[in-house]
């Protein structure tokens, strides 16, 4: 009897997990050195940093999403649809919940998969910090469905206000974004652009500047805390120039149906409220047969991305990985970290197949860039020779776009990634610039 093949199971096909499955499939999967299985609760993948564009309607998710089943076929791994709900570390099994359709009928029964090596890459969700009213009244941008829901809420609100000759009460077309990090700031700028465009598509009873109030609410004294103060101040000026109200030093204490309430006693009226103020790992990470988690539920890993179980690794947003050996700092939850960790784990898992030790991960910060819709891009780049360098305008925009290109290249290879760019360009000449339904 031939030896059964080593089973590598990756749970979560996001920025990190899908790149890892693709690299492993292309090499060890194709050559039959191990079986690679990718589990995800969604049928398609979209790169999460694009979700604010989906929410604003400047990106139609159906044009940019990747079908897991197709990728699995092309890249020699198996795709399993389902949500991980638990683990049996003794029997080395991952348990998945049944998959239901939109009528609540069972499509796939609950099932379990055996692993020899398990990689958990389930990402993160928004953290509401237990603040009253957030869950009930805020929208989140954790999944494509949520982003699409936001886009439709905004469009519906504008259609409604238009047919009644303009908004009938304060805040009816107000959008409040809680969290002045990259997500909140990018969303605000993109929304200003989109609401201006929408009013040109026949919704002319609405004056975007006068009727649509956009608020960004941030607890600290500076928006974009990851950027140097000069750049954060430039981004703030730009937001204010395009008519967004920026509230810094305002800690949200409650959210009600029509407004955001802050600790200073401020009430900001807004019918649509988005929560983008911090992350935590999904609930399931705390329910994985005793694997250690931190206070935001991330799986504790060492610098080799190992959990306390030597057969289980974790990467990306769901992993609490030390930045170095001498401080308590953790690797930040960012797409570039997930990308780097996927590349490292690819090499580690190949070594593991021949009995070698896992490699040590060192985070390389290439800087942060924030796109202010069509208006501007600002950020800082880090290089070995240049150190930290502030950039803005066209160069910053190019580098910003290149991050997504690199993700596409990791999944499809450079020729197809460039073909996607061409298709995108051609579509811009035949489709409206924004989604109108
Ligand atoms: C709107 C927005 C904008 C952002 N912009 C930037 C940016 O400009 N730059 C940057 O560096 N980072 C940005 N980020 C952060 C970045 O998206 C994340 O750091 C990155 O996606 C993390 O990758 P990951 O592989 O850990 O998880 P993800 O990419 O989140 O993927 C997790 C995957 O796990 C699956 N999953 C979750 N739970 C389960 C389960 N129980 N069972 C099975 N599957 C499961 C999900 O369906 C998903 O496919 C942004 C995030 C958001 C939301």
């Amino acid at each position: 009897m031939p030896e059964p093949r080593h089973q590598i199971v990756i749970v979560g096909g996001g920025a990190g997990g899908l790149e890892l499955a693709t690299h492993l499939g292309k090499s060890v999967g194709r050559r039959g050195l191990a079986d690679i299985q990718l589990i995800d609760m969604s049928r398609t993948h979209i790169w999460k940093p694009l979700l604010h564009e989906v929410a604003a309607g400047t990106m139609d998710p159906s044009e940019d999403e990747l079908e897991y089943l197709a990728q699995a076929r092309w890249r020699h791994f198996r795709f399993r649809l389902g949500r991980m709900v638990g683990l049996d570390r003794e029997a080395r099994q991952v348990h998945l919940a049944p998959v239901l359709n939109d009528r609540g009928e069972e499509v796939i029964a609950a099932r379990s998969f055996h692993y020899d090596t398990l990689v958990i890459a389930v990402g993160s969700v928004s953290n509401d910090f237990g603040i009253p009213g957030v869950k009930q009244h805020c929208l989140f941008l954790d999944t494509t469905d949520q982003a699409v829901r936001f886009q439709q809420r905004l469009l519906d609100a504008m259609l409604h206000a238009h047919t009644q000759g303009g908004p009938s009460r304060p805040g009816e077309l107000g959008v409040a974004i809680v969290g002045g990090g990259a997500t909140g700031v990018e969303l605000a700028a993109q929304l200003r652009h989109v609401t201006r465009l929408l009013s040109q598509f026949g919704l002319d009873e609405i004056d975007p500047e006068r009727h649509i109030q956009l608020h960004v609410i941030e607890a600290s004294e500076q928006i974009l805390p990851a950027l140097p103060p000069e750049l954060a101040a430039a981004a703030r000026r730009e937001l204010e120039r395009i008519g967004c109200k920026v509230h810094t030093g305002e800690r949200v204490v409650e959210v009600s149906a029509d407004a955001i309430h802050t600790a200073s006693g401020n009430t900001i009226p807004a019918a649509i409220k988005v929560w983008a103020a911090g992350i935590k790992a999904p609930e399931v990470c705390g329910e994985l047969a005793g694997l250690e988690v931190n206070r935001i539920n991330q799986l504790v890993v060492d610098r080799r991305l190992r959990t306390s179980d030597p057969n289980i690794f974790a990467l990306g947003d769901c992993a609490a990985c030390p930045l170095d050996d001498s401080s308590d700092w953790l690797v930040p939850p960012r797409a570039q970290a997930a990308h780097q960790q996927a590349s490292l784990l690819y090499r580690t898992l190949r070594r593991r197949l021949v009995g070698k030790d896992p490699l040590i991960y060192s985070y390389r910060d290439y800087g942060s860039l924030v796109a202010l819709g069509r208006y501007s891009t600002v950020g800082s780049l880090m290089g070995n020779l240049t150190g930290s360098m502030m950039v803005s305008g066209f160069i910053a925009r190019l580098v910003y776009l290149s991050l997504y290109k690199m993700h596409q290249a990791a999944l499809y290879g450079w020729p197809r990634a460039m073909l996607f760019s061409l298709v995108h360009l051609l579509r811009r000449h035949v489709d409206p610039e924004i989604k109108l339904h």
Side-chain angles (χ1 to χ4, degrees), residues 91-285:
R92 283 191 259 148
Q93 299 239 322
V94 182
H95 302 311
L96 305 191
V99 177
L100 309 179
N101 65 16
D102 53 6
R103 295 185 296 278
E105 297 155 353
E106 191 172 283
V107 178
I108 305 175
R111 53 191 176 155
S112 302
F113 291 99
H114 173 77
Y115 64 84
D116 295 306
T117 302
L118 177 65
V119 180
I120 301 175
V122 290
S124 59
V125 292
S126 300
N127 193 346
D128 68 6
F129 303 102
I131 296 170
V134 176
K135 255 197 205 99
Q136 296 87 324
H137 303 297
C138 286
L139 294 160
F140 301 91
L141 291 187
D142 295 330
T143 63
T144 312
D145 286 349
Q146 291 173 345
V148 169
R149 204 170 308 142
F150 173 89
Q151 183 259 338
Q152 284 172 354
R153 277 278 299 276
L154 180 69
L155 200 54
D156 287 352
M158 286 186 71
L159 282 168
H160 178 73
H162 168 71
T163 49
Q164 58 182 18
S168 53
R169 58 188 164 81
E172 185 180 336
L173 287 181
V175 180
I177 301 164
V178 183
T183 304
V185 168
E186 291 189 336
L187 178 65
Q190 197 78 331
L191 286 179
R192 174 50 79 216
H193 172 63
V194 162
T195 50
R196 282 178 180 165
L197 278 177
L198 277 173
S199 67
Q200 292 163 16
F201 277 99
L203 303 184
D204 44 11
E205 291 291 342
I206 298 165
D207 174 353
E209 323 296 322
R210 197 158 55 90
H211 293 142
I212 303 172
Q213 303 84 27
L214 297 175
H215 301 271
V216 176
I217 305 158
E218 167 60 43
S220 56
E221 293 303 327
Q222 171 187 315
I223 57 165
L224 301 170
L227 290 189
E230 310 87 281
L231 276 178
R236 180 181 184 141
R237 278 196 301 278
E238 188 60 22
L239 282 182
E240 289 172 339
R241 188 186 69 75
I242 59 174
C244 299
K245 274 203 120 175
V246 180
H247 311 256
T248 45
E250 291 281 12
R251 190 168 51 82
V252 174
V253 288
E254 194 181 345
V255 178
S256 58
D258 301 317
I260 304 274
H261 309 274
T262 69
S264 68
N266 221 344
T267 294
I268 299 159
I272 302 179
K273 297 161 288 293
V274 188
W275 192 261
I279 59 124
K280 60 180 180 182
E283 286 305 306
V284 69
C285 292

Side-chain angles (χ1 to χ4, degrees), residues 11-18 39-42 44-53 68 82-85 96 121-126 141-143 182-184 186 279 282 284 315-319 332-339 341 367 369-370 400 403:
V11 186
L18 181 58
I39 296 171
D40 201 286
M41 59 186 184
S42 174
T44 57
H45 160 82
I46 196 153
W47 197 54
K48 221 172 154 186
L50 296 176
L51 288 184
H52 71 279
E53 295 207 26
Y68 283 120
R83 186 166 55 86
M84 174 174 72
V85 285
L96 305 191
V122 290
S124 59
V125 292
S126 300
L141 291 187
D142 295 330
T143 63
T183 304
E186 291 189 336
I279 59 124
V284 69
L315 69 79
D317 286 8
C318 71
R334 293 167 64 181
Q336 57 175 306
H339 168 78
Q341 292 179 341
L369 288 161
V370 180
Y400 179 85
L403 293 179

